[in-house]
């Protein structure tokens, strides 16, 4: 039985990928197998990084990618308006095609029997054995609080939603697709065909177009009734931790993040653009939540390359200056119309 970690990356998220890989090495174990799934063909820096690490491999299998891309395409073809609306915006095929490659972890041809999937904008804070152990009892394991906000998972205005899933299930079973654990082979082709038939019969109306892969993954997990466990709904209150950088109360102790004395499982830089991380790594002094922790892991093996900031940091969410507002109104800045 092979356990391992998947993530999804290309050169655009290279800085975040390095930070994630270093955090896994430092906090989960140097020999934990990691497989980077190619988001697209922009992989020069990723290939070089993977080649430098004995425990890391790169998945770029055109056959597996094609099968899951076709499945995703058929999912969205079943939706009344999605493909047309995306095409009107100049989006080819469907929105965020590369993100559907995360489904390859479920493929029987994939690398790990049991796996944890982590988005590239996460950092691992502790060994993950307890997550793998939970897969002995359930086929799908998560640790987040997305169930408190279903608006980024399903189309809440759909009249069909409560016909497909009960209110109780929506409020207890949904999850964020930035971190989950599961097993290969749990969505075999015949089951995917059945799921597509349900979507074509009207279920596609419940999908949330702005986060297509997260929505589809929640839908197929719930519809297929794959056994499910969320640590956030099962751990005792005095053991429970958050995971999102939107929580301002976490403590940083020697570059490990704690929530009320408990070590986080992972820290998710959710909602922060990859562009922000790249600018900071290029030397632009922009502050964002838990920036020093990211920089620690990004430059863990090359501290001499860590940016040395000498100016006052600008907040990542600072409002634009008056001059910028005026230039934008006049159409003299990028995107100003």
């Amino acid at each position: 039985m092979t356990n391992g970690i998947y993530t999804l990356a290309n050169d655009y998220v290279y800085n975040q990928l390095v930070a994630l890989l270093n955090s896994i090495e430092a906090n989960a174990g140097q020999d934990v197998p990691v497989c980077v799934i190619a988001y697209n063909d922009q992989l020069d820096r990723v290939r070089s990084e993977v080649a430098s690490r004995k425990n890391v491999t790169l998945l770029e299998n055109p056959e597996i990618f094609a099968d899951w891309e076709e499945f995703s395409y058929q999912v969205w073809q079943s939706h009344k308006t999605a493909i047309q609306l995306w095409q009107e915006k100049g989006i080819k095929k469907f929105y965020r095609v590369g993100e559907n490659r995360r489904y390859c972890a479920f493929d029987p041809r994939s690398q790990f029997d049991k796996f944890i999937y982590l988005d590239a904008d996460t950092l691992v804070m502790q060994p993950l054995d307890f997550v793998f152990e939970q897969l002995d009892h359930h086929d799908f394991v998560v640790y987040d609080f997305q169930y408190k906000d279903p608006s980024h998972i399903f189309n809440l205005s759909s009249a069909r939603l409560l016909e497909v899933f009960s209110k109780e299930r929506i409020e207890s079973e949904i999850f964020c697709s930035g971190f989950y654990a599961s097993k290969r082979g749990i969505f075999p082709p015949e089951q995917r065909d059945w799921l597509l038939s349900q979507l074509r019969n009207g279920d596609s109306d419940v999908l949330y177009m702005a986060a297509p892969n997260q929505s589809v993954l929640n839908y197929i997990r719930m519809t297929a009734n794959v056994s499910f466990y969320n640590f956030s709904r099962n751990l005792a209150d005095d053991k429970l931790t958050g995971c999102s950088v939107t929580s301002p109360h976490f403590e940083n102790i020697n570059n490990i993040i704690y929530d009320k004395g408990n070590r986080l499982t992972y820290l998710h830089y959710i909602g922060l653009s990859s562009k922000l991380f790249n600018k900071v790594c290029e030397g632009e002094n922009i502050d964002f939540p838990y920036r020093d922790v990211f920089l620690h892991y990004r430059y863990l093996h090359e501290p001499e390359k860590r940016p040395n900031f000498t100016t006052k940091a600008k907040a990542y969410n600072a409002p634009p200056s008056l001059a910028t507002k005026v230039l934008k109104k006049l159409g003299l800045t990028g995107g100003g119309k």
Side-chain angles (χ1 to χ4, degrees):
M1 185 71 72
T2 307
N3 296 344
I5 295 172
Y6 286 107
T7 190
L8 183 67
N10 63 2
D11 285 350
Y12 190 68
V13 298
Y14 172 78
N15 289 305
Q16 290 161 285
L17 173 65
V18 172
L20 171 59
L21 293 176
N22 287 342
S23 73
I24 292 169
E25 177 188 311
N27 300 325
Q30 294 185 354
D31 298 320
V32 175
V34 181
C35 178
V36 180
I37 302 171
Y39 182 89
N40 56 22
D41 296 331
Q42 298 167 8
L43 296 165
D44 291 344
R45 300 180 79 189
V46 170
R47 285 195 186 99
S48 177
E49 188 65 33
V50 168
S52 72
R53 295 174 182 261
K54 61 180 171 63
N55 64 315
V56 183
T57 56
L58 180 64
L59 176 64
E60 41 181 343
N61 185 314
E63 292 180 7
I64 299 179
F65 290 166
D67 288 352
W68 287 95
E69 186 171 314
E70 180 59 25
F71 170 70
S72 294
Y73 185 50
Q74 290 187 41
V75 166
W76 289 105
Q77 276 189 315
S78 73
H79 193 278
K80 291 179 181 177
T81 59
I83 298 290
Q84 180 185 344
L85 290 173
W86 286 331
Q87 285 179 346
E88 288 172 359
K89 293 180 179 179
I91 296 169
K92 295 179 180 178
K93 205 157 189 180
F94 57 91
Y95 184 43
R96 294 181 176 173
V97 174
E99 284 193 6
N100 88 91
R101 291 183 175 184
R102 75 184 66 204
Y103 303 149
C104 296
F106 298 112
D107 196 281
R109 297 163 288 181
S110 65
Q111 189 168 338
F112 304 128
D113 296 299
K114 294 179 181 178
F115 67 85
I116 294 170
Y117 172 84
L118 284 153
D119 271 347
D121 63 343
T122 57
L123 297 174
V124 171
M125 290 288 127
Q126 65 165 297
L128 299 173
D129 298 359
F130 73 102
V131 180
F132 286 115
E133 287 165 8
Q134 194 57 235
L135 287 173
D136 291 336
H137 310 288
H138 298 85
D139 288 334
F140 213 101
V141 176
V142 304
Y143 193 169
D144 68 64
F145 299 83
Q146 189 69 51
Y147 62 85
K148 295 183 178 182
D149 178 18
S151 66
H152 287 78
I153 304 295
F154 294 127
N155 172 18
L156 299 188
S157 63
S158 170
R160 178 92 174 191
L161 183 57
L162 292 180
E163 296 175 22
V164 179
F165 304 122
S166 68
K167 186 170 182 286
E168 291 73 24
R169 290 193 73 193
I170 292 169
E171 292 177 350
S172 64
E173 292 188 33
I174 62 173
F175 62 93
C176 169
S177 63
F179 174 96
Y180 54 89
S182 191
K183 304 170 185 176
R184 67 176 170 187
I186 66 167
F187 297 117
E190 60 273 17
Q191 188 179 62
R192 299 202 299 270
D193 289 342
W194 176 77
L195 289 164
L196 285 170
S197 72
Q198 299 300 108
L199 289 159
R200 289 167 183 147
N201 287 334
D203 279 11
S204 60
D205 190 57
V206 311
L207 298 178
Y208 177 63
M209 288 177 56
N213 293 284
Q214 178 165 268
S215 186
V216 171
L217 188 54
N218 273 269
Y219 171 83
I220 64 176
R221 205 292 306 164
M222 291 174 72
T223 306
N225 279 318
V226 173
S227 60
F228 182 76
Y229 184 91
N230 190 340
F231 283 101
S232 72
R233 293 181 57 82
N234 287 277
L235 289 177
D237 287 346
D238 63 345
K239 301 294 183 185
L240 192 62
T241 75
C243 57
S244 172
V245 293
T246 55
S247 298
H249 66 276
F250 295 156
E251 281 187 286
N252 176 6
I253 304 174
N254 296 324
N255 296 297
I256 301 293
I257 303 300
Y258 293 81
D259 184 354
K260 298 173 184 173
N262 293 306
R263 185 189 286 215
L264 264 62
T265 299
Y266 67 104
L267 180 65
H268 192 183
Y269 289 85
I270 192 165
L272 299 184
S273 167
S274 296
K275 186 185 297 184
L276 175 64
F277 292 86
N278 292 337
K279 284 183 175 180
V280 168
C281 290
E282 289 163 5
E284 198 167 333
N285 194 1
I286 308 171
D287 196 19
F288 57 84
Y290 308 101
R291 183 183 76 167
D292 284 348
V293 181
F294 164 75
L295 289 171
H296 168 78
Y297 290 105
R298 167 60 185 89
Y299 296 101
L300 187 67
H301 296 309
E302 41 189 9
E304 72 283 357
K305 293 184 179 179
R306 179 171 172 163
N308 182 24
F309 302 114
T310 57
T311 59
K312 184 180 179 182
K314 176 184 176 183
Y316 76 102
N317 55 355
S321 67
L322 179 59
T324 301
K325 286 180 180 177
V326 171
L327 288 171
K328 189 170 184 178
K329 195 168 185 179
L330 294 172
L332 299 176
T333 61
K337 280 190 177 180

